[in-house]
Tab-separated table of all heavy atoms in Angstrom:
chain	number	residue	atom	x	y	z
A	702	SER	N	84.937	103.955	78.780
A	702	SER	CA	84.989	105.161	77.863
A	702	SER	C	85.259	106.350	78.773
A	702	SER	O	84.920	106.345	80.071
A	702	SER	CB	83.676	105.247	77.095
A	702	SER	OG	82.579	105.455	77.992
A	703	ALA	N	85.873	107.252	78.313
A	703	ALA	CA	86.226	108.551	79.137
A	703	ALA	C	86.445	109.702	78.304
A	703	ALA	O	86.551	109.607	77.035
A	703	ALA	CB	87.713	108.221	79.666
A	704	ILE	N	86.214	110.825	78.900
A	704	ILE	CA	86.357	112.145	78.250
A	704	ILE	C	87.358	113.063	79.204
A	704	ILE	O	87.598	112.775	80.240
A	704	ILE	CB	84.997	112.907	78.219
A	704	ILE	CG1	84.375	113.029	79.471
A	704	ILE	CG2	84.247	112.340	77.149
A	704	ILE	CD1	83.081	113.796	79.524
A	705	GLY	N	88.048	113.975	78.455
A	705	GLY	CA	88.923	114.806	79.226
A	705	GLY	C	89.052	116.217	78.534
A	705	GLY	O	88.762	116.421	77.469
A	706	ALA	N	89.481	117.228	79.382
A	706	ALA	CA	89.841	118.394	78.757
A	706	ALA	C	91.116	119.103	79.330
A	706	ALA	O	91.302	118.851	80.561
A	706	ALA	CB	88.663	119.313	79.075
A	707	ARG	N	91.777	119.822	78.610
A	707	ARG	CA	92.885	120.467	78.947
A	707	ARG	C	92.565	122.024	79.254
A	707	ARG	O	92.236	122.743	78.339
A	707	ARG	CB	94.061	120.417	77.724
A	707	ARG	CG	95.426	121.079	78.184
A	707	ARG	CD	96.379	120.846	77.073
A	707	ARG	NE	97.605	121.435	77.321
A	707	ARG	CZ	97.891	122.642	76.750
A	707	ARG	NH1	97.102	123.279	75.959
A	707	ARG	NH2	99.133	123.158	76.890
A	708	LEU	N	92.561	122.351	80.533
A	708	LEU	CA	92.087	123.636	80.903
A	708	LEU	C	93.224	124.678	81.271
A	708	LEU	O	92.912	125.659	81.837
A	708	LEU	CB	91.096	123.536	82.056
A	708	LEU	CG	89.895	122.615	81.868
A	708	LEU	CD1	89.276	122.362	83.245
A	708	LEU	CD2	89.003	123.127	80.808
A	709	THR	N	94.427	124.294	80.933
A	709	THR	CA	95.602	125.156	81.306
A	709	THR	C	96.824	124.872	80.349
A	709	THR	O	96.902	123.788	79.872
A	709	THR	CB	96.034	124.904	82.744
A	709	THR	OG1	97.194	125.548	83.120
A	709	THR	CG2	96.358	123.308	83.027
A	710	ASP	N	97.513	125.928	80.077
A	710	ASP	CA	98.725	125.863	79.314
A	710	ASP	C	99.930	125.367	80.126
A	710	ASP	O	101.023	125.277	79.637
A	710	ASP	CB	99.046	127.141	78.594
A	710	ASP	CG	97.986	127.515	77.402
A	710	ASP	OD1	97.419	126.553	76.920
A	710	ASP	OD2	97.809	128.711	77.173
A	711	ASP	N	99.632	125.224	81.478
A	711	ASP	CA	100.770	124.814	82.327
A	711	ASP	C	101.057	123.306	82.120
A	711	ASP	O	101.976	122.874	82.894
A	711	ASP	CB	100.271	124.915	83.830
A	711	ASP	CG	100.483	126.606	84.129
A	711	ASP	OD1	100.836	127.314	83.344
A	711	ASP	OD2	100.250	126.792	85.396
A	712	ILE	N	100.341	122.547	81.330
A	712	ILE	CA	100.719	121.189	81.214
A	712	ILE	C	101.003	120.844	79.837
A	712	ILE	O	100.535	121.669	78.868
A	712	ILE	CB	99.577	120.118	81.832
A	712	ILE	CG1	98.225	120.470	81.170
A	712	ILE	CG2	99.505	120.350	83.288
A	712	ILE	CD1	97.180	119.529	81.533
A	713	ALA	N	101.517	119.725	79.446
A	713	ALA	CA	101.895	119.324	78.136
A	713	ALA	C	100.630	119.193	77.171
A	713	ALA	O	99.629	118.962	77.850
A	713	ALA	CB	102.611	117.939	78.074
A	714	THR	N	100.808	119.558	75.920
A	714	THR	CA	99.577	119.491	75.055
A	714	THR	C	98.936	118.243	74.925
A	714	THR	O	97.823	118.147	74.547
A	714	THR	CB	100.137	120.111	73.653
A	714	THR	OG1	101.208	119.307	73.217
A	714	THR	CG2	100.456	121.534	73.579
A	715	ASP	N	99.627	117.150	75.221
A	715	ASP	CA	98.927	115.869	75.077
A	715	ASP	C	98.279	115.368	76.345
A	715	ASP	O	98.002	114.205	76.399
A	715	ASP	CB	99.854	114.752	74.477
A	715	ASP	CG	101.138	114.475	75.515
A	715	ASP	OD1	101.293	115.240	76.426
A	715	ASP	OD2	101.834	113.545	75.310
A	716	ASN	N	98.329	116.141	77.465
A	716	ASN	CA	97.778	115.700	78.704
A	716	ASN	C	96.537	116.665	78.879
A	716	ASN	O	96.210	117.568	78.264
A	716	ASN	CB	98.776	115.764	79.780
A	716	ASN	CG	98.306	114.897	80.943
A	716	ASN	OD1	97.345	114.306	80.907
A	716	ASN	ND2	99.195	114.690	81.913
A	717	TYR	N	95.801	116.274	79.959
A	717	TYR	CA	94.573	116.948	80.340
A	717	TYR	C	94.438	116.980	81.856
A	717	TYR	O	94.896	116.036	82.537
A	717	TYR	CB	93.313	116.358	79.722
A	717	TYR	CG	93.255	114.719	79.985
A	717	TYR	CD1	92.370	114.316	80.972
A	717	TYR	CD2	94.002	113.940	79.175
A	717	TYR	CE1	92.515	112.945	81.389
A	717	TYR	CE2	93.849	112.492	79.518
A	717	TYR	CZ	93.115	112.087	80.565
A	717	TYR	OH	93.011	110.667	80.810
A	718	ASN	N	93.890	118.128	82.430
A	718	ASN	CA	93.735	118.159	83.919
A	718	ASN	C	92.344	118.038	84.394
A	718	ASN	O	92.150	118.058	85.546
A	718	ASN	CB	94.366	119.563	84.384
A	718	ASN	CG	93.560	120.694	83.979
A	718	ASN	OD1	93.247	120.769	82.630
A	718	ASN	ND2	93.226	121.558	84.780
Side-chain angles (χ1 to χ4, degrees):
S702 55
I704 50 173
R707 179 175 176 266
L708 303 171
T709 173
D710 289 334
D711 279 6
I712 59 174
T714 51
D715 66 345
N716 205 352
Y717 52 96
N718 64 311

